[in-house]
Amino acid sequence: MLPATSTAAFGGHRALFHTPPRGTCSRVISLRLHRRSRATTHINIGSFLRCQNIHPSIRGFATAVESTNAVSDREFALFNTLMTQLKSPNKISPHNTVSTNRNLDMAGADVGKPLTGDLAKQLPSPIQKGLEALRQRDTRRLLIYLGKICLMGELELQEAVAALPRTTITEFLRSLDPLRVARDADPTDKAHIQVGMYQTLHLESVVDDWGVRKLYSQLLQCMLALVVALKASGQVLQTEEYIYLLRCAGAASDPVGARWIWNDMVRTQNADWRQSETYAEYISARFLTRPIYTSYDKTRRLVHPRNLHRSRIRLDTRYVYALDRLRFNQRIARLYKGLLKDVPYAEDIMRKMRKNRPVTNLFYKLMSDGHFITEPLLCSLIVGFGRAGSLRFIGSRILHAYFGIDMRRLTYNESLGTETTYDENGIRSHACRVRPTLRLMEAVVEAYGSNGEIAVALQLVDHISRTFSIPIPRSIWQDLLEWTYIMGSPAVSVAWKKANMQFKIPNPAAIKLIWDAMISHHVQPGFEQYNILIRNLLGRHQFGKVMPFIRQAVDLYDAQCQEYEAAVLEYVRMIRDGVRFSNGVHRYERARFRKAQMWYDIRVWCRAYLLGVRSYNPSNPLTIIAVPDFINEFRRFIPNPAQYRTATGYISLFDPAWERLHGISVSHVPMAIPMKLKRKRVWGHQFVKARKLSVFSSHSLVGHVPVAKLGLVTLLTSTARTLEPSGRPSQFWGGNVKKSRSLTESLYSDDDDDYF
């Protein structure tokens, strides 16, 4: 081993063999380089041994002592000899041989070595194909081969991971970022799959029993398998790689797993490398601050008054019992959606975040450790405090201290006071340490909207937009509309009434006011905004005002049908030509899901319209003219048979030429719901069995039969890819379904194996 002060001199240039300690003065380095300058001897080329790179991952300093205008013949011959020996590693003198065997113990010494062609050919086939998809930036195909990689043997996977360069592993994990996977490979991205949609569209292959995308749950398992193999090879994870693992845990709605990954940084002695970005990702995964972490379901992120009991407020015993009974009835209808996976009883995932101590400890630790405070970190903290209902802490310690937003009242229920220096929204601004952006708008809408403070959220959004000249996009208006609709829905509004907090319930006309404000900001509404407005008008029995909006929404559905037809033609052409084009497959799957989703929403509107019709006058034009015209105009969305009520009874219209949906009971879901038993006056578990339904229709997403067995006409007219009519299995008879492949897994594989 050469001493740390040894130097190598070539043609007037000298370099240190080893890196000096960090902080070494440049004067000391210069003295080391000049130490043997007077004793430099003549170099004998013939006796010069091959220069071995003992530590290829360590960078050394090089300092030019004097400049040379030309290279001598002797120096050129020396460098030529060195390059020749480097290109032929097998021709090494016996006294200078270094073992080149790659094993698990030496994997850490080859971190910086590039992946050569010979080494790539020695890797297993799934890893070779995965690396090829990685080079092509094909996220969809990379996920396919990732599943095959995880099926490899444990020892084989460890040897393959040890043979890969360290930078390749990092790039592999970076390409599996859930945010990138959601954009490139998830056809249901940014879509809330309700329980009714889950049953009607037959989405068992997409969503698991807890309402989480199966794609992200399987992705988390595969990434953990890669991490285990990486650690078995003697390597440790980098801080950037922990970020991707935290995002995977968040996308799988697993806050317990996110906490385990966070503590793993302490076990591997990487906790000192935590930065603001790392804390922001952990807070997002621990408190599920991103919409994708709760599968875009706002009802899971709702702060119930029952969760605020004994954490922020104190409720009377009779209010607590009424809220528990309401929670019991809602849980039976929602099955396992939104529950914790790690407990044997039915507990909402938001119950784990009702206390403010965890997020408060993180906040003060960031302050004490002196981390750089960024807007993403503050926005994650805002949503985290919002999960616990700590709105006053948000207004005083974050909005006021960092964003310069001084609120006249921290909640809507507080008094206004007598000061007049505030604007029309009751908010004033001063010097800010962090300039707000669109991210702050999303955070305040999420935090205040989930707590029923719709008015405060709208005032903050308007103030930030006018003060900092930030236009309000459609996504913010959509969030405001959704939170207003959820807070005014029967289940949530009844909960606030039972808790004696009626001020949390918005006015029924609030959605129309937000809609008018959105139009005044020159924002073109989309199908999602029409969906909220139409549901609100139908709930208020304003059948005359709702008709123009339904027609505009149906026009958007027709445009989506044209997009679906174009995607189908491109997909069929790709299959016929034998081309592997993942963007075309993703476009087809995305258009297929969007068409089925919009059809389901319009069908719900039509069903609500017919159920809401009431008339006690036999000559009322509503039941004589309006309802028949409505059924004739939207015939393709009307339930078959169509039923509505008149002054003398019910009318049922059945059309044998149209499809009739078949709903069957698939199974019974057992649940143990914790609540206070009324007879025994003690806390216990109430055991119930909820019925799980499934609906078969040509508009569902059941099956994935190859194109060659379906035909182009079937693909264009139906979103269900099954050989049975109406998406119904052949075992269907008398309301019972035998165990078949169409209910669990696809009976056929896809033509181009792009389906996963």
Side-chain angles (χ1 to χ4, degrees):
M1 182 65 69
L2 296 175
T5 56
S6 298
T7 60
F10 301 106
H13 297 271
R14 289 183 295 277
L16 292 176
F17 275 106
H18 296 276
T19 304
R22 183 179 297 179
T24 303
C25 181
S26 60
R27 182 180 178 185
V28 176
I29 299 176
S30 179
L31 289 175
R32 289 183 180 181
L33 290 172
H34 288 77
R35 180 173 296 175
R36 298 188 181 182
S37 61
R38 298 182 180 180
T40 304
T41 58
H42 181 73
I43 298 177
N44 187 1
I45 302 177
S47 62
F48 187 82
L49 300 179
R50 181 175 181 266
C51 182
Q52 295 292 330
N53 189 358
I54 306 297
H55 299 281
S57 62
I58 301 178
R59 295 169 297 184
F61 290 92
T63 306
V65 180
E66 58 181 1
S67 61
T68 55
N69 297 328
V71 180
S72 63
D73 297 338
R74 182 174 300 172
E75 294 169 347
F76 178 78
L78 172 61
F79 283 109
N80 188 22
T81 304
L82 292 176
M83 295 300 296
T84 304
Q85 292 181 357
L86 288 176
K87 291 181 180 179
S88 57
N90 295 328
K91 298 179 181 180
I92 304 176
S93 57
H95 63 277
N96 197 29
T97 303
V98 178
S99 176
T100 58
N101 295 330
R102 300 183 59 90
N103 50 33
L104 299 180
D105 298 332
M106 296 182 61
D110 297 318
V111 173
K113 187 173 182 178
L115 186 63
T116 60
D118 296 337
L119 179 59
K121 294 180 181 179
Q122 298 176 1
L123 295 173
S125 177
I127 293 185
Q128 292 183 20
K129 294 181 179 179
L131 293 177
E132 182 65 24
L134 181 64
R135 284 190 290 268
Q136 296 175 358
R137 298 185 180 275
D138 193 341
T139 306
R140 187 182 184 88
R141 190 162 292 276
L142 180 62
L143 290 171
I144 296 175
Y145 295 125
L146 177 64
K148 298 180 180 180
I149 290 173
C150 294
L151 296 178
M152 296 168 54
E154 183 178 355
L155 183 59
E156 183 183 8
L157 180 59
Q158 292 177 8
E159 293 177 351
V161 170
L164 291 174
R166 190 64 181 84
T167 54
T168 304
I169 300 295
T170 303
E171 185 63 29
F172 203 86
L173 296 177
R174 184 184 296 114
S175 300
L176 296 176
D177 186 358
L179 302 182
R180 179 181 298 184
V181 171
R183 180 193 62 194
D184 299 337
D186 185 9
T188 64
D189 185 33
K190 297 182 180 179
H192 169 213
I193 299 178
Q194 310 168 12
V195 178
M197 184 187 300
Y198 169 81
Q199 297 174 348
T200 304
L201 301 185
H202 204 87
L203 295 174
E204 291 184 352
S205 61
V206 179
V207 181
D208 60 9
D209 294 336
W210 287 271
V212 181
R213 283 8 181 222
K214 291 184 178 180
L215 172 62
Y216 304 117
S217 300
Q218 297 172 0
L219 178 61
L220 177 60
Q221 297 177 3
C222 293
M223 290 188 70
L224 290 179
L226 291 178
V227 169
V228 170
L230 182 66
K231 289 186 176 182
S233 64
Q235 305 181 53
V236 295
L237 288 174
Q238 301 176 4
T239 307
E240 179 187 1
E241 296 165 343
Y242 277 106
I243 291 178
Y244 305 135
L245 287 177
L246 289 172
R247 289 178 181 175
C248 278
S253 295
D254 191 1
V256 178
R259 187 174 181 179
W260 184 89
I261 294 172
W262 181 257
N263 294 332
D264 187 69
M265 299 185 70
V266 179
R267 291 188 291 268
T268 57
Q269 299 179 358
N270 285 330
D272 294 337
W273 294 97
R274 293 171 178 171
Q275 302 295 331
S276 300
E277 182 182 5
T278 316
Y279 274 96
E281 293 298 336
Y282 170 66
I283 295 172
S284 298
R286 170 65 175 82
F287 301 98
L288 307 179
T289 62
R290 287 194 174 98
I292 189 177
Y293 292 171
T294 54
S295 299
Y296 303 97
D297 187 1
K298 284 185 170 57
T299 57
R300 301 184 198 178
R301 311 195 298 264
L302 177 66
V303 179
H304 291 272
R306 180 64 179 87
N307 295 342
L308 297 177
H309 178 56
R310 285 190 171 181
S311 62
R312 311 302 302 171
I313 58 177
R314 297 282 296 188
L315 297 176
D316 192 79
T317 306
R318 63 179 185 275
Y319 295 155
V320 174
Y321 178 77
L323 291 174
D324 284 338
R325 177 55 57 181
L326 181 63
R327 176 172 55 88
F328 176 83
N329 297 330
Q330 291 179 351
R331 178 47 54 195
I332 296 177
R334 299 190 61 189
L335 303 179
Y336 287 157
K337 303 298 185 293
L339 294 180
L340 282 172
K341 304 178 182 179
D342 305 310
V343 294
Y345 50 88
E347 182 177 3
D348 293 340
I349 197 170
M350 285 295 109
R351 289 281 295 176
K352 194 175 182 61
M353 308 172 190
R354 67 185 186 276
K355 297 182 180 180
N356 63 346
R357 183 176 295 275
V359 65
T360 304
N361 293 340
L362 285 171
F363 178 81
Y364 285 114
K365 182 174 178 56
L366 288 169
M367 300 298 106
S368 62
D369 291 349
H371 288 281
F372 182 68
I373 304 301
T374 61
E375 188 193 22
L377 178 59
L378 291 174
C379 293
S380 299
L381 288 170
I382 288 175
V383 180
F385 280 109
R387 297 282 184 262
S390 301
L391 301 182
R392 290 180 176 84
F393 191 95
I394 295 174
S396 60
R397 298 301 303 273
I398 299 180
L399 294 180
H400 176 77
Y402 290 95
F403 295 102
I405 299 176
D406 187 9
M407 303 175 60
R408 191 175 182 181
R409 52 184 180 184
L410 301 179
T411 60
Y412 186 78
N413 195 35
E414 292 183 353
S415 60
L416 293 176
T418 58
E419 299 184 18
T420 59
T421 57
Y422 296 84
D423 60 4
E424 58 183 4
N425 292 325
I427 304 172
R428 64 181 177 184
S429 297
H430 53 84
C432 60
R433 298 165 59 182
V434 180
R435 182 174 178 83
T437 62
L438 179 62
R439 192 189 301 268
L440 180 61
M441 284 188 183
E442 298 174 351
V444 296
V445 171
E446 178 72 19
Y448 286 91
S450 61
N451 284 271
E453 301 290 344
I454 306 298
V456 178
L458 184 59
Q459 292 171 359
L460 282 171
V461 168
D462 181 67
H463 174 78
I464 295 172
S465 175
R466 291 188 294 102
T467 304
F468 300 97
S469 302
I470 302 175
I472 306 176
R474 184 194 297 178
S475 60
I476 299 296
W477 294 111
Q478 174 66 17
D479 291 340
L480 289 171
L481 289 171
E482 283 192 39
W483 282 121
T484 307
Y485 177 77
I486 290 174
M487 290 299 167
S489 60
V492 181
S493 60
V494 169
W496 291 118
K497 288 180 181 178
K498 290 183 179 298
N500 197 21
M501 303 173 71
Q502 290 84 354
F503 58 89
K504 296 278 189 179
I505 305 174
N507 190 283
I511 290 182
K512 191 62 172 63
L513 294 176
I514 297 176
W515 174 275
D516 295 338
M518 179 183 66
I519 299 300
S520 64
H521 282 74
H522 307 287
V523 176
Q524 183 66 27
F527 185 85
E528 291 77 10
Q529 291 76 48
Y530 280 110
N531 184 23
I532 299 298
L533 179 63
I534 291 172
R535 287 172 183 259
N536 175 257
L537 294 177
L538 290 175
R540 297 165 58 190
H541 300 281
Q542 297 185 359
F543 302 109
K545 296 181 179 180
V546 77
M547 291 302 298
F549 298 109
I550 294 181
R551 294 188 180 97
Q552 296 174 14
V554 171
D555 292 339
L556 296 177
Y557 172 77
D558 295 335
Q560 180 61 35
C561 291
Q562 296 178 2
E563 167 63 20
Y564 173 72
E565 294 175 359
V568 166
L569 295 176
E570 181 184 2
Y571 179 73
V572 173
R573 189 183 305 112
M574 181 191 68
I575 299 298
R576 183 192 60 187
D577 298 340
V579 180
R580 301 296 187 265
F581 187 50
S582 295
N583 290 336
V585 179
H586 180 66
R587 179 192 177 190
Y588 162 71
E589 293 289 348
R590 179 65 178 171
R592 179 189 178 204
F593 174 77
R594 282 287 296 165
K595 179 185 176 182
Q597 180 191 20
M598 295 171 72
W599 172 85
Y600 170 80
D601 289 333
I602 299 177
R603 182 181 176 86
V604 170
W605 304 342
C606 297
R607 185 172 180 270
Y609 184 94
L610 296 179
L611 290 177
V613 170
R614 292 288 186 274
S615 176
Y616 300 99
N617 185 4
S619 60
N620 191 345
L622 177 63
T623 57
I624 297 177
I625 301 176
V627 175
D629 292 344
F630 178 83
I631 295 176
N632 187 34
E633 182 177 0
F634 304 104
R635 187 177 181 181
R636 48 180 171 166
F637 308 106
I638 299 295
N640 191 19
Q643 299 178 350
Y644 63 97
R645 185 177 179 178
T646 62
T648 57
Y650 286 91
I651 294 180
S652 179
L653 303 176
F654 177 74
D655 189 353
W658 288 86
E659 176 189 14
R660 182 176 183 178
L661 300 187
H662 302 276
I664 59 173
S665 178
V666 178
S667 62
H668 288 81
V669 180
M671 286 185 293
I673 303 177
M675 60 181 305
K676 193 170 185 178
L677 303 179
K678 189 174 182 180
R679 294 182 179 179
K680 299 181 179 180
R681 299 288 182 179
V682 294
W683 283 95
H685 291 166
Q686 184 73 31
F687 293 93
V688 294
K689 285 187 177 181
R691 189 175 61 170
K692 185 177 181 181
L693 302 177
S694 184
V695 180
F696 300 95
S697 70
S698 60
H699 297 277
S700 66
L701 299 174
V702 62
H704 208 85
V705 176
V707 176
K709 296 185 178 181
L710 286 177
L712 182 59
V713 177
T714 305
L715 283 175
L716 291 174
T717 57
S718 172
T719 56
R721 294 183 59 172
T722 178
L723 296 178
E724 297 295 333
S726 300
R728 182 174 55 180
S730 58
Q731 291 86 353
F732 175 79
W733 180 259
N736 296 319
V737 174
K738 298 181 180 180
K739 195 172 184 180
S740 62
R741 298 183 188 178
S742 60
L743 288 176
T744 55
E745 299 293 339
S746 179
L747 183 60
Y748 303 94
S749 59
D750 199 1
D751 303 75
D752 60 342
D753 77 356
D754 268 322
Y755 178 73
F756 63 92

